[in-house]
Amino acid sequence: MPDKDELARHRYEKLVDRLQSLMQAALKPEYQGYHGQLILSSDDLAEMGDLKDVRRAALEAGRRLGWKPATRLVENRLFVLDEREAPEGIQQLAENAAAEAMDRARRERR
């Protein structure tokens, strides 16, 4: 019978794999792996376990993807972000997309 440490390690590895999969799926192909982000709701966090374990697993998953990962907790949501500096062309694409999204939101509010 496996001991507690072995079970905990197995659960942690499964969590890392799950988060890595979610993070990979959230990447936009046009950004070539940069500007990664994952937002976990309070429901997601409750399902995944203890916040400190989820944060640690998210950081590990990000490193596996080549990110410079960081986490931020904002109003019961956990943001997992890639803080690497993107190449100029990709940065410009992301800035243009953000500007377009802001313009669209302003037009929809009118």
Side-chain angles (χ1 to χ4, degrees), residues 23 27 33 36-38 62-63 65-69 80-82 84:
M23 292 159 78
L27 289 171
Q37 68 174 5
L38 178 66
R63 285 190 289 273
L65 291 171
W67 293 12
K68 181 180 174 188
V80 185
L81 309 167
D82 177 9
R84 291 179 297 164

Side-chain angles (χ1 to χ4, degrees), residues 8 11 23-24 50 52 54 60 70 72 75 80 110:
R11 270 194 305 272
M23 292 159 78
Q24 182 75 45
D50 189 54
K52 70 176 179 51
V54 175
E60 174 65 26
R72 306 282 188 278
E75 295 183 8
V80 185
R110 290 181 189 169

